[in-house]
């Protein structure tokens, strides 16, 4: 099982890369976690260009999706659930032999068709979070869920 985070945006602050990398290296060998940064669409000041930008980013996301991967799209209107439920999802996906791609949009969000094609819409929080921080939180939660599956003491209840 391979886990990918596809994130629109590049040139993140050093703490974002350091945080993501720290949790990615902690992942078990059988669940490697990789980050694919996708270049955002060039922005202009023209009114009405947001739909075009999102469409360009949607094309980049579709091109970067691993073939056959289950798509989990991060969206504030998605389902919110506790870490133990994430661990249950991870177990099921692992047992099904599924690779999983977690999709994080850019500054203007995601195109509607990316959300519509998702296997799961996941909300980390009702708060608006910086996109770089979302990468780190997703990586940490995946590590925590993997730790639960391995009966590792990282997660304490």
């Amino acid at each position: 099982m391979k886990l990918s985070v596809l994130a629109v945006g590049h040139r993140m602050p050093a703490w974002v890369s350091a945080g993501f990398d720290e949790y990615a290296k902690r992942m078990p060998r059988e669940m490697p976690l990789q980050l694919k940064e996708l270049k955002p669409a060039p922005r202009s000041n023209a009114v009405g260009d947001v739909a075009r930008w999102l469409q360009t980013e949607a094309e980049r996301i579709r091109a970067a999706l691993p073939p056959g991967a289950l798509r989990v799209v991060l969206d504030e209107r998605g389902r919110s659930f506790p870490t133990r439920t994430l661990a249950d999802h991870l177990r099921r996906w692992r047992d099904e032999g599924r690779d999983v791609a977690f999709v994080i949009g850019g500054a203007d969000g995601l195109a509607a068709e990316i959300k519509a094609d998702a296997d799961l819409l996941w909300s980390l929080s009702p708060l608006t979070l910086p996109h770089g921080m979302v990468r780190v939180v997703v990586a940490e939660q995946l590590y925590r869920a993997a730790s639960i599956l391995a009966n590792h003491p990282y997660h304490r209840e």
Side-chain angles (χ1 to χ4, degrees):
M1 161 186 231
K2 294 178 186 166
L3 304 173
S4 302
V5 172
L6 309 181
V8 175
H10 61 305
R11 298 189 200 137
M12 290 286 130
W15 65 266
V16 171
S17 297
F20 185 92
D21 292 346
E22 177 62 30
Y23 290 108
K25 78 179 182 185
R26 292 183 187 189
M27 290 297 291
R29 217 177 10 237
E30 63 275 5
M31 285 185 200
L33 175 62
Q34 68 168 350
L35 172 65
K36 292 183 184 180
E37 290 185 318
L38 306 174
K39 187 176 178 182
R43 299 307 201 247
S44 68
N45 291 329
V47 175
D49 282 347
V50 174
R52 191 176 76 230
W53 303 336
L54 292 178
Q55 186 57 43
T56 298
E57 292 169 1
E59 291 166 9
R60 292 176 182 170
I61 290 166
R62 280 193 295 274
L65 282 167
L70 185 128
R71 295 170 310 269
V72 177
V73 174
L74 281 289
D75 184 78
E76 71 259 9
R77 288 174 287 288
R79 268 186 60 214
S80 180
F81 43 80
T83 305
R84 188 151 300 278
T85 301
L86 177 61
D88 293 340
H89 285 304
L90 207 55
R91 176 185 294 114
R92 188 177 74 249
W93 299 331
R94 180 196 64 198
D95 293 350
E96 293 171 354
R98 300 289 307 262
D99 291 339
V100 184
F102 297 86
V103 179
I104 302 169
D108 295 297
L110 289 161
E113 68 261 22
I114 295 295
K115 295 178 195 179
D117 289 344
D119 295 293
L120 174 64
L121 281 177
W122 180 23
S123 172
L124 295 178
S125 167
L127 299 172
T128 301
L129 300 172
H131 298 280
M133 185 175 289
V134 170
R135 296 177 189 192
V136 177
V137 172
V138 167
E140 190 279 338
Q141 285 297 296
L142 289 171
Y143 172 67
R144 188 175 293 269
S147 297
I148 289 170
L149 296 180
N151 295 314
H152 188 275
Y154 179 74
H155 184 79
R156 295 180 176 97
E157 288 183 311

